[in-house]
Amino acid sequence: MPPTRVAAAALLFFAAVTAVHSIGVNYGTLGDNLPPPSQVAQFLKDKTTIDRIKIFDVNPDILRAFANTGIHVAVTIPNGEIPNLTKVRYARRWVVTHIKPFYPQTKINYILVGNEILHWGPQNLIDNLVSAMVTVHRALLLEKITGVAVTTAHSLGILEPTDLPSEARFRSGWDRGVLEPMLKFHRSTKSPFMVNPYPYFSYGPEKADLCLFRPTKGLFDKNTRRTYGNMFDILLDSVYTSMNKLGYGDVEIVAGETGWASAGEVFEQPKCSVPNAASYNGGLVAHYNSGRGTPLMPKRRFETYIFGLFNENQKPGSMAERNFGLFRPDFSSVYEAGVMRAGAPVPVKPIPSPRPVVGGKKWCVAKAGASDAALQNNINYVCSQGVDCQPIQPGGACFTPSSVRSHASFAMNAYYRAKGPNDFNCDFSGTGVVTSTDPSTHLPLS
């Protein structure tokens, strides 16, 4: 082979290896001080090893900005679109409007049909989810788009609680009713099963080292006789075991969201800190780059998207929700996580000590912008899950003020308490928010 061809082949091989060894990030936009997408695209391309992003919508400005950058972009269809997407004509129109104007100049690799639908519902979205995924895939083929895979992201609420990966399984009802046909779809279309594994939600003093990729004696699984050195592997192998029990252990797994907050309220301490966030995300990147895989899936490198790219100052919820970013809006690093290119350092600015909310209590309430229809769905869902809704019935202790918003806040908080006061139990498809202000002292009048 001539030297020029050898050099070209070597460059192509190097580019392929670089792509394989890169990591992704979730690019959220809930901030009033964030840089324009064009600057973000240039920064990621020139300064970091990040070669793929995931966004929570189909923002055309972002899709235009990432054209011809070589960076993959995963887009998300809003949850509420799912019932309509079961119709081929609607799905095809959606593809023509939101994908065709940008593809393939923008390397759209995934379309997520909703986000964490099984965890949050409501039931009509769950019932239509797989059908919508199938129809969106069909719409892509009808428009002669073959390089975009269809998936959806799941919280690990899809798993029954267990400590050992070998004993994991999907929740009864969802396993055969939803996840088995979904996995069949993934196998037939060679698309990945996407999960959001957050060791962050498993944090406790006794599990700190395991969650943060720090040295630890690990967790021994007596059934497989494997020892786990980190919680991320425990969660991924729990998903794999659950898939395998349905006969779909061959389907690819993608980690769609995982990350750690660098600051938080009093009740979020000592979990949320710069050292912990640096330890987790830095450890995650190193673990990913090592290619070691997990005890049950050795030597496999899982496509992984860190949450998130920026600290977002308008994100609702506690202080932690606004401090998951690797970078500040001026592109300075919050901490070193191992994603910068050699020779392209970004200064790490010291973080001023946050002013936490006094007191350790927190509540789940309806988000200010949530519609009454969405909140009524939340009430219906919660009251169907065995939560006591008698207090918001006529004559109940919390019936007054008689408004959908007040009743929804009661129901959502009751669910949040019953399921465990974790932030993911107050999402409700983006209509819930965790607050440190007692809602019973600030009830709306109508």
Side-chain angles (χ1 to χ4, degrees):
M1 185 181 291
T4 53
R5 291 188 180 180
V6 172
L11 284 172
L12 287 171
F13 175 77
F14 178 76
V17 170
T18 301
V20 168
H21 284 264
S22 297
I23 200 161
V25 68
N26 286 271
Y27 176 10
T29 56
L30 295 178
D32 62 5
N33 58 353
L34 298 179
S38 57
Q39 291 183 16
V40 175
Q42 201 65 44
F43 169 74
L44 293 180
K45 180 182 177 182
D46 294 344
K47 301 293 186 181
T48 79
T49 58
I50 293 166
D51 77 337
R52 59 200 62 225
I53 64 168
K54 182 161 74 70
I55 60 178
F56 296 94
D57 50 26
V58 281
N59 186 319
D61 294 332
I62 293 176
L63 293 178
R64 275 190 288 268
F66 279 82
N68 303 310
T69 61
I71 296 173
H72 293 279
V73 180
V75 302
T76 305
I77 301 176
N79 293 3
E81 291 273 33
I82 288 174
N84 289 327
L85 289 168
T86 61
K87 307 175 185 69
V88 174
R89 177 180 291 182
Y90 189 94
R92 193 169 181 178
R93 188 162 62 243
W94 190 93
V95 169
V96 168
T97 303
H98 297 289
I99 302 298
K100 284 197 82 171
F102 309 103
Y103 181 86
Q105 292 81 7
T106 300
K107 296 179 70 173
I108 300 171
N109 58 340
Y110 300 132
I111 297 174
L112 280 70
V113 180
N115 185 51
E116 298 189 346
I117 298 299
L118 270 68
H119 190 106
W120 297 113
Q123 192 61 43
N124 71 311
L125 299 189
I126 296 172
D127 292 342
N128 286 290
L129 178 57
V130 176
S131 177
M133 293 169 68
V134 170
T135 307
V136 171
H137 175 70
R138 183 181 174 193
L140 288 168
L141 297 182
L142 288 171
E143 294 301 324
K144 297 182 170 46
I145 297 174
T146 58
V148 180
V150 176
T151 186
T152 188
H154 304 279
S155 82
L156 293 197
I158 61 174
L159 303 178
E160 295 283 7
T162 183
D163 292 327
L164 299 180
S166 63
E167 296 176 356
R169 62 185 179 88
F170 292 127
R171 288 187 182 273
S172 178
W174 291 347
D175 52 356
R176 301 290 179 182
V178 181
L179 294 170
E180 186 172 33
M182 184 182 294
L183 288 166
K184 182 178 181 181
F185 165 79
H186 286 312
R187 176 185 280 167
S188 67
T189 60
K190 296 181 171 57
S191 55
F193 186 66
M194 186 176 287
V195 294
N196 297 339
Y198 274 96
Y200 175 84
F201 293 127
S202 301
Y203 179 89
E206 71 288 349
K207 294 181 179 178
D209 293 338
L210 196 65
C211 289
L212 293 167
F213 287 100
R214 297 198 299 228
T216 173
K217 66 179 182 180
L219 173 73
F220 179 70
D221 189 324
K222 62 184 179 181
N223 299 310
T224 59
R225 305 196 66 77
R226 302 290 207 281
T227 298
Y228 289 83
N230 65 81
M231 184 62 72
F232 184 77
D233 284 355
I234 292 172
L235 298 178
L236 282 188
D237 273 358
S238 295
V239 172
Y240 169 74
T241 297
S242 302
M243 294 166 63
N244 213 27
K245 287 177 180 177
L246 292 180
Y248 290 92
D250 58 309
V251 172
E252 180 186 357
I253 298 171
V254 168
E257 282 184 41
T258 187
W260 207 279
S262 60
E265 317 279 6
V266 165
F267 60 77
E268 294 168 317
Q269 302 301 330
K271 175 168 67 174
C272 303
S273 68
V274 168
N276 283 356
S279 180
Y280 178 73
N281 283 323
L284 176 72
V285 171
H287 184 56
Y288 174 86
N289 288 337
S290 74
R292 286 194 302 268
T294 71
L296 295 184
M297 296 178 285
K299 299 181 180 178
R300 282 178 62 176
R301 184 178 280 109
F302 302 93
E303 188 174 347
T304 300
Y305 294 80
I306 295 174
F307 187 88
L309 180 55
F310 294 112
N311 283 342
E312 300 170 65
N313 69 352
Q314 292 187 320
K315 195 168 183 192
S318 69
M319 183 185 296
E321 290 294 319
R322 294 181 287 281
N323 286 279
F324 268 87
L326 297 174
F327 301 98
R328 299 184 185 84
D330 63 359
F331 297 112
S332 63
S333 297
V334 179
Y335 49 84
E336 175 55 46
V339 298
M340 303 305 298
R341 288 189 183 278
V346 173
V348 177
K349 295 182 179 179
I351 296 181
S353 298
R355 293 179 60 193
V357 175
V358 177
K361 293 184 178 180
K362 50 182 182 173
W363 293 263
C364 175
V365 298
K367 191 180 290 185
S371 69
D372 280 0
L375 295 180
Q376 185 61 55
N377 283 335
N378 293 348
I379 294 171
N380 297 342
Y381 173 73
V382 168
C383 296
S384 72
Q385 299 298 304
V387 175
D388 181 14
C389 291
Q390 191 61 39
I392 56 175
Q393 301 303 315
C398 298
F399 180 71
T400 303
S402 178
S403 69
V404 171
R405 181 166 300 276
S406 295
H407 290 176
S409 288
F410 173 91
M412 292 158 70
N413 191 58
Y415 178 91
Y416 175 68
R417 295 293 175 198
K419 298 297 182 180
N422 299 304
D423 288 358
F424 58 82
N425 283 325
C426 185
D427 184 80
F428 290 96
S429 299
T431 62
V433 60
V434 174
T435 179
S436 54
T437 303
D438 185 351
S440 66
T441 63
H442 295 79
L443 288 172
L445 297 176
S446 61

